[in-house]
Amino acid sequence: QAQESLAAAGAALAVQRTPPAGAAAPSLGDTLQACQEALRSAVGDDARAARIAQEALEKKCLEARDAARRFARVTAKWKKDVGELDAAVRQLGDVETWAAAIARDVATVSRTLDKAAANAGGAAAQR
């Protein structure tokens, strides 16, 4: 766009340099005024384009911020769900360990009772 601005200023200057046939040459003041107007117009166009680009960038930034917030909410929910699943699996492991310990204790008690019964039966036979 800077090139377009310079081209517009150059065109304005060229128009001022070549007066129509039979017309008086423009004064230096008129030439400077034409250049200033061309530059003012070009700068104004550049400023409008910059403002439009800035507004578009701000809109994209807001969209990105909103997307990041949504992502953070979803990941927080997933983290909570995974934590709850982990706790449930750990509890299940604890229950399995507890059940295995009870089964070992019951087996020990059963063997002890069998031995006691065998010893009691042998002692009764000896009487």
Side-chain angles (χ1 to χ4, degrees):
Q1 272 204 313
Q3 289 178 345
E4 291 174 10
S5 301
L6 290 175
L13 187 57
V15 167
Q16 291 296 320
R17 275 196 206 154
T18 54
S27 70
L28 181 59
D30 290 340
T31 303
L32 286 176
Q33 184 178 356
C35 286
Q36 286 175 342
E37 287 175 13
L39 285 173
R40 222 176 281 129
S41 174
V43 167
D45 291 344
D46 289 347
R48 279 187 292 280
R51 182 179 45 78
I52 290 168
Q54 180 181 359
E55 288 171 356
L57 183 60
E58 287 174 356
K59 181 180 177 186
K60 291 290 184 185
C61 287
L62 291 174
E63 290 171 1
R65 182 200 64 195
D66 293 343
R69 286 180 177 168
R70 284 190 304 272
F71 180 74
R73 278 194 303 270
V74 169
T75 54
K77 183 182 180 318
W78 273 94
K79 183 178 177 184
K80 178 181 173 264
D81 291 346
V82 167
E84 290 173 359
L85 177 64
D86 181 59
V89 168
R90 287 179 189 260
Q91 278 183 335
L92 181 61
D94 291 345
V95 168
E96 288 176 347
T97 302
W98 173 79
I102 294 294
R104 281 192 306 273
D105 291 346
V106 168
T108 301
V109 168
S110 177
R111 281 193 306 272
T112 303
L113 289 175
D114 287 343
K115 286 181 185 178
N119 287 340
Q126 286 181 353
R127 285 189 202 170

